[in-house]
Every structure is written in structure tokens, then in C-alpha cells.
Amino acid sequence: QNTIIEWVSKIAAEIKVVGLMNTQLAIKNNEVYVLEVNPRASRTVPFVSKARSIPIAKIASKVMVGDLLKD
């Protein structure tokens, strides 16, 4: 998990993503492979939002226009 968090954070910083980013990874024999990265929301966002009762898309939209995440 730490490797995944580190890699995805570095990718997001490198491509200057602000807001949501869909990252697809594969793990085989304890090796992590990046399959795809899209700086956009995916179908997972509505599912996670509903499951966690957090308006992720709304929050991400505000961050994308300059609001701070902590606000």
C-alpha cells in the first residue's frame, strides 16, 4: 500500500493533477505495475461517494477551481 500511495502521489504531482485522478494498477509477484492514469473521475467515484456518504465529485470540483481541500 505504501508503494502504491507513493507512486500515485508522484504521478499526480508530475502531471499536475488538481482534483480527481483515476489510476489503474496491477500487482504480480509483489511488483506494482501502472496500467493507466487518467486525470478525471471514473465510475468508481459515485460508488465510493455513496458508500462513504462523502460528496467526492462536489469536493473535487471545488478544489479544481481553487478552493482548498481543508475548507
Side-chain angles (χ1 to χ4, degrees):
Q1 283 181 337
N2 291 335
T3 299
I4 291 170
I5 292 168
E6 180 183 340
W7 284 21
V8 171
S9 296
K10 286 181 179 181
I11 292 168
E14 185 67 29
I15 64 174
K16 298 175 178 48
V17 170
V18 177
L20 300 172
M21 181 176 84
N22 180 33
T23 307
Q24 295 181 21
L25 306 163
I27 300 172
K28 182 176 181 181
N29 299 327
N30 288 326
E31 290 287 327
V32 179
Y33 299 90
V34 178
L35 302 178
E36 182 178 3
V37 176
N38 294 301
R40 59 169 173 77
S42 69
R43 292 173 288 167
T44 305
V45 172
F47 174 77
V48 173
S49 289
K50 190 168 192 165
R52 300 288 299 163
S53 298
I54 300 170
I56 296 173
K58 182 178 180 179
I59 293 167
S61 298
K62 289 182 177 185
V63 169
M64 291 169 73
V65 296
D67 288 359
L68 299 177
L69 186 56
K70 67 179 184 174
D71 294 337

